[in-house]
Amino acid sequence: MPGFGDLEAAIMEAIWSAEEPLTVRTIVDQLNQERSLAYTTVQTVTEILYRKGWLQREKDGRAYRYWARSSRDDYTAGLVQEALSATPDRTAALVRLVKQMAPDEAAELRAALDTAKNSGENP
Amino acid sequence: MIALVLFGNATLLLLAAAPAMHRHRLFDRSPRLGILAWQVLTGAALLSVILGGLTLLVPSVPVSSSLADFLESCAMMLRRRYATPAGAVLGSLGTAFALVVFWRVAYHLILATTQARRLRRAHRETVILTGHPRSDGVTLLKHAVPAVYCLPGRRRHIVLTTGALEALDAEQLQAVLAHEREHLRAKHHLVLMAAGAVTTAFPHIRAFRTAHTEISRLVELAADDAAVRRSGRFTLAEALLALADSHRPAAALAAGGSTAADRVRRLIDAQAPRRIVPVLIGGALATSVLVLPVVLATGPALSAIGAEHCPIGPVTWQAQFAPLLG
């Protein structure tokens, strides 16, 4: 099995795409359209995701039905927020490309850049 | 006394050299040299202080070819040091001081490493679960706000939002990816983390804060330079402008103007990278600053190694030059 990621991502994808909570059986059937996976493997990983707090579940008869705690967009927004957060990251967990710039500063620089390019300088 | 020289060296570095380096912006044209210089300054200051404390205990390192002689010389020096109350206090204070400094640095380095790993792991897990891997190895996040960043470490990722993808054309995207790849290749996260840890360990020393700020800035310039080598400076300048120019209210800009603007200006102004000779001279000066205190502390010992006979007692500067001084 590949390292953490592929299967977990596929399970989350299946759950986010669904319109209602899913059982492990449904997830396995969906995933098996593209790969062959054992029921127990998917069940184990789904339970791990539940225990890590990604999924919530309720019992439906003998099986559990799982749904995501938050939407994909919510998680993504959290990620970008963290990446762009204003505090200088002392622990250097991430290295982001560029902080935001004031609009008038950006306009001034754009003008300067255009001038430099038009003066035929060698890039 | 050697200790005074070492403490003096540290003071000079922190109170004079650091502000001078900061004021004159020596390194904007050779950011990689600048990163090294700030690291050397920090390391030399810390090393001088630690060695200074230790030489208060044992003024010179006795060296001989046999371990027994070496230990006996050390014991003799310690005994001599502790023979007088003043000497004992000095020796103990010196050692305690050296140990405290060493411990603070080590502790905060370890703390920073574990914190960074934990944050990174949590973030990376979310990226893996919510992102879409592309064929070029970059992970795409569906999000309108343009953002590009990298997750360094053993399992590294470059992350890109759909907002960024829309803001950049193909060439600009490659420039930006080259910038991130340079961060990963040169392991800038380690340099930044070390600088940050030293700042946390000694928060009252401004030179360390300056070193951290400057290293953070220079690290971006170094990555910019790598991207320019690949894609040209105008392409990168356009990419930075496209990403930084946003309709959202800017998140807290750095005091005194935004760094992104400085970077774009630097790309537009296009000074040639510094020539190699000044770079080498700078590098030599920087290295000598580091080496000097170590040489002073261990010089007598090093010369003893080259001596024709094994010294019976500890070798000191005075003993060395006694024949010359008459």
Side-chain angles (χ1 to χ4, degrees), chain B residues 49-63:
Chain B
V49 161
I50 292 173
L51 285 177
L54 290 179
T55 52
L56 283 177
L57 179 72
V58 177
S60 62
V61 178
V63 164

Side-chain angles (χ1 to χ4, degrees), chain A residues 2-13 16 48-49 52-54 70-123, chain B residues 112 115-116 119-120 123 125-132 141-143 145-152 155 161 176 179-180 183 189 192-193 196-197 199-200 209 212 219-220 228 232-234 237-238 240-246 248-254 257-261 263-265 268 270:
Chain A
F4 174 88
D6 286 359
L7 182 52
E8 285 80 354
I11 293 174
M12 291 306 299
E13 169 80 53
W16 274 319
I48 291 174
L49 285 171
K52 282 192 178 176
W54 290 97
S70 300
S71 70
R72 191 178 218 151
D73 289 344
D74 284 348
Y75 283 118
T76 307
L79 285 177
V80 178
Q81 166 94 335
E82 204 173 297
L84 295 181
S85 69
T87 56
D89 190 12
R90 284 241 173 110
T91 58
L94 334 158
V95 188
R96 64 168 172 271
L97 179 71
V98 62
K99 296 203 264 285
Q100 298 299 312
M101 201 187 286
D104 44 344
E105 216 172 9
E108 174 202 328
L109 287 168
R110 224 178 263 284
L113 180 58
D114 287 337
T115 314
K117 281 162 73 177
N118 291 337
S119 71
E121 275 181 39
N122 204 355
Chain B
Q115 261 179 6
L119 283 172
R120 222 176 278 145
H123 192 106
E125 198 169 292
T126 312
V127 163
I128 290 174
L129 292 187
T130 59
H132 305 265
L141 294 178
K142 257 207 204 93
H143 196 74
V145 174
V148 182
Y149 62 96
C150 67
L151 274 172
R155 322 250 296 306
T161 57
V176 156
H179 172 107
E180 294 302 326
H183 279 318
H189 65 291
L192 287 169
M193 187 198 62
T199 313
T200 325
R209 275 204 304 281
H212 185 219
V219 147
E220 295 305 325
V228 165
R233 54 192 174 90
F234 289 145
E238 280 168 359
L240 291 181
L241 277 174
L243 290 175
D245 187 10
S246 151
R248 289 160 173 263
L253 296 174
S258 109
T259 313
R263 284 163 63 191
V264 173
R265 229 170 263 127
I268 295 174

Side-chain angles (χ1 to χ4, degrees), chain B residues 37 50 83 92 97 127 132 159 179 182 195 211 231 238 266 313 315:
Chain B
I50 292 173
S92 309
F97 182 64
V127 163
H132 305 265
V159 183
H179 172 107
E182 178 66 11
S231 303
E238 280 168 359
R266 176 179 177 262
V315 180

Side-chain angles (χ1 to χ4, degrees), chain B residues 104-148:
Chain B
R104 277 197 80 85
V105 173
Y107 173 74
H108 283 278
L109 274 175
I110 293 172
L111 197 67
T113 312
T114 42
Q115 261 179 6
R117 281 222 189 109
R118 200 179 15 150
L119 283 172
R120 222 176 278 145
R121 188 180 29 229
H123 192 106
R124 184 177 52 232
E125 198 169 292
T126 312
V127 163
I128 290 174
L129 292 187
T130 59
H132 305 265
R134 290 172 19 132
S135 54
D136 58 358
V138 171
T139 308
L140 190 61
L141 294 178
K142 257 207 204 93
H143 196 74
V145 174
V148 182

Side-chain angles (χ1 to χ4, degrees), chain A residues 18 20 30 56 60 82:
Chain A
E20 44 164 24
Q30 262 187 36
Q56 292 177 304
D60 177 19
E82 204 173 297

Side-chain angles (χ1 to χ4, degrees), chain B residues 12-310:
Chain B
L12 207 71
L13 287 174
L14 295 177
L15 293 183
M21 272 167 53
H22 182 40
R23 199 169 33 241
H24 295 293
R25 302 235 144 182
L26 293 174
F27 301 110
D28 282 23
R29 285 167 64 184
S30 22
R32 283 184 291 187
L33 176 65
I35 295 167
L36 182 66
W38 282 106
Q39 285 182 297
V40 163
L41 183 137
T42 307
L46 289 171
L47 195 60
S48 299
V49 161
I50 292 173
L51 285 177
L54 290 179
T55 52
L56 283 177
L57 179 72
V58 177
S60 62
V61 178
V63 164
S64 89
S65 60
S66 96
L67 185 61
D69 282 349
F70 171 69
L71 290 175
E72 194 186 315
S73 306
C74 274
M76 189 162 72
M77 298 224 59
L78 280 171
R79 237 175 286 133
R80 192 182 299 166
R81 174 56 83 202
Y82 278 89
T84 70
V89 166
L90 203 60
S92 309
L93 280 179
T95 320
F97 182 64
L99 286 175
V100 163
V101 169
F102 177 78
W103 172 247
R104 277 197 80 85
V105 173
Y107 173 74
H108 283 278
L109 274 175
I110 293 172
L111 197 67
T113 312
T114 42
Q115 261 179 6
R117 281 222 189 109
R118 200 179 15 150
L119 283 172
R120 222 176 278 145
R121 188 180 29 229
H123 192 106
R124 184 177 52 232
E125 198 169 292
T126 312
V127 163
I128 290 174
L129 292 187
T130 59
H132 305 265
R134 290 172 19 132
S135 54
D136 58 358
V138 171
T139 308
L140 190 61
L141 294 178
K142 257 207 204 93
H143 196 74
V145 174
V148 182
Y149 62 96
C150 67
L151 274 172
R154 221 169 302 156
R155 322 250 296 306
R156 41 180 69 169
H157 287 264
I158 296 179
V159 183
L160 186 63
T161 57
T162 43
L165 212 55
E166 274 160 38
L168 303 172
D169 69 28
E171 264 309 303
Q172 290 162 1
L173 177 63
Q174 290 310 313
V176 156
L177 293 181
H179 172 107
E180 294 302 326
R181 288 199 181 101
E182 178 66 11
H183 279 318
L184 294 176
R185 187 201 67 81
K187 299 204 182 2
H188 285 154
H189 65 291
L190 293 177
V191 170
L192 287 169
M193 187 198 62
V198 169
T199 313
T200 325
F202 304 103
H204 303 298
I205 300 190
R206 178 181 298 177
F208 292 149
R209 275 204 304 281
T210 312
H212 185 219
T213 317
E214 283 298 289
I215 288 178
S216 309
R217 198 177 62 84
L218 291 168
V219 147
E220 295 305 325
L221 298 188
D224 281 348
D225 285 352
V228 165
R229 280 194 292 274
R230 194 210 170 280
S231 303
R233 54 192 174 90
F234 289 145
T235 310
L236 181 65
E238 280 168 359
L240 291 181
L241 277 174
L243 290 175
D245 187 10
S246 151
H247 299 299
R248 289 160 173 263
L253 296 174
S258 109
T259 313
D262 291 336
R263 284 163 63 191
V264 173
R265 229 170 263 127
R266 176 179 177 262
L267 291 169
I268 295 174
D269 292 342
Q271 295 179 303
R274 217 165 261 284
R275 313 193 74 74
I276 193 71
V277 169
V279 167
L280 287 178
I281 292 177
L285 280 175
T287 317
S288 61
V289 155
L290 176 62
V291 169
L292 186 64
V294 181
V295 166
L296 282 177
T298 60
L302 291 175
S303 63
I305 292 172
E308 292 204 347
H309 55 75
C310 303

